[in-house]
Amino acid sequence: QKEVEQNSGPLSVPEGAIASLNCTYSDRVSQSFFWYRQYSGKSPELIMSIYSNGDKEDGRFTAQLNKASQYVSLLIRDSQPSDSATYLCAVKRGSARQLTFGSGTQLTVLP
Amino acid sequence: DGGITQSPKYLFRKEGQNVTLSCEQNLNHDAMYWYRQDPGQGLRLIYYSQIVNDFQKGDIAEGYSVSREKKESFPLTVTSAQKNPTAFYLCASSIAGTDQETQYFGPGTRLLVL
């Protein structure tokens, strides 16, 4: 079992719809969770971070964390073609320095 | 502007050659990291450093070496022992010391083998 798993996609949604991206992790001691967006050929950029159970909203983005189910998700409301990218889920254990990344979900927003 | 710079953007390596990738940050971050990304895959940690003159191996350190002589700089050398070096190399940095520290990435270096 991979430490961090994401559906590779591709996931296609029409413009204006809600895109839902999911991530599961295997290590129960994981404490910090991050969503990065990566455009083709570019480096990852941070979208959201979440540390406590529940929802965290930032503009059109909502991160949801359920530690009991070892599940973290990212919702993108009113999806735009500019949201088309690969979304990487990253998990950090407690005081460990390094992040463990999923393989990413490729999202395409269709005009 | 504060940020992380990586150079060169593209690098070509010949068989048996060592090459060095540069990473510099002016964010005053304590920790720095090197990741490798292969097509269609997530990032894998090569090395990381929390303070000057100290660094630790990540998951795929074989065939790579690093140094941390200055807080701002964390160069990565891809040695001839790395048999499959073609990949996208990403440097990141973070403020160390908190459980919630966030890593920020440089623009990356794409390494190709001739």
Side-chain angles (χ1 to χ4, degrees), chain B residues 4-106:
Chain B
I4 304 171
T5 57
Q6 291 186 241
S7 62
K9 187 174 181 180
Y10 295 96
L11 185 58
F12 299 92
R13 194 191 89 163
K14 295 179 181 179
E15 289 287 338
Q17 186 180 38
N18 294 351
V19 293
T20 298
L21 285 61
S22 170
C23 177
E24 304 274 336
Q25 55 96 3
N26 61 4
L27 301 168
N28 200 33
H29 284 174
D30 301 294
M32 297 186 74
Y33 311 80
W34 275 105
Y35 291 92
R36 167 180 173 143
Q37 187 176 35
D38 293 282
Q41 297 190 33
L43 281 65
R44 292 183 291 168
L45 183 67
I46 304 173
Y47 269 98
Y48 65 101
S49 169
Q50 300 179 59
I51 57 173
V52 173
N53 292 323
D54 186 51
F55 47 83
Q56 284 78 42
K57 293 181 179 180
D59 299 322
I60 55 166
E62 186 174 351
Y64 300 97
S65 65
V66 294
S67 62
R68 187 88 186 275
E69 297 177 1
K70 299 186 301 181
K71 186 176 183 178
E72 303 79 18
S73 178
F74 191 40
L76 173 74
T77 296
V78 184
T79 74
S80 57
Q82 174 49 245
K83 298 306 179 187
N84 185 24
T86 297
F88 190 36
Y89 290 87
L90 290 156
C91 177
S93 69
S94 67
I95 299 174
T98 70
D99 289 347
Q100 299 176 355
E101 63 186 77
T102 299
Q103 293 184 22
Y104 298 93
F105 287 86

Side-chain angles (χ1 to χ4, degrees), chain A residues 14-83:
Chain A
E15 184 173 356
I18 296 175
S20 178
L21 305 164
N22 304 316
C23 174
T24 58
Y25 58 95
S26 60
D27 192 338
R28 286 193 171 273
V29 301
S30 299
Q31 295 293 330
S32 306
F33 306 86
F34 305 86
W35 282 100
Y36 287 86
R37 177 175 64 196
Q38 187 175 25
Y39 291 114
S40 181
K42 303 295 185 182
S43 63
E45 56 180 322
L46 183 71
I47 298 295
M48 294 278 290
S49 58
I50 188 166
Y51 313 108
S52 304
N53 279 329
D55 294 359
K56 179 181 178 183
E57 187 174 319
D58 184 0
R60 297 186 296 112
F61 299 95
T62 299
Q64 299 174 318
L65 175 60
N66 183 327
K67 289 187 178 181
S69 299
Q70 295 175 239
Y71 175 94
V72 57
S73 65
L74 180 69
L75 301 178
I76 306 174
R77 290 182 300 281
D78 188 23
S79 295
Q80 301 297 309
S82 59
D83 294 325

Side-chain angles (χ1 to χ4, degrees), chain A residues 11-20 76 79-80 107-111:
Chain A
L11 172 66
S12 295
V13 299
E15 184 173 356
I18 296 175
S20 178
I76 306 174
S79 295
Q80 301 297 309
L107 172 67
T108 300
V109 180
L110 303 170

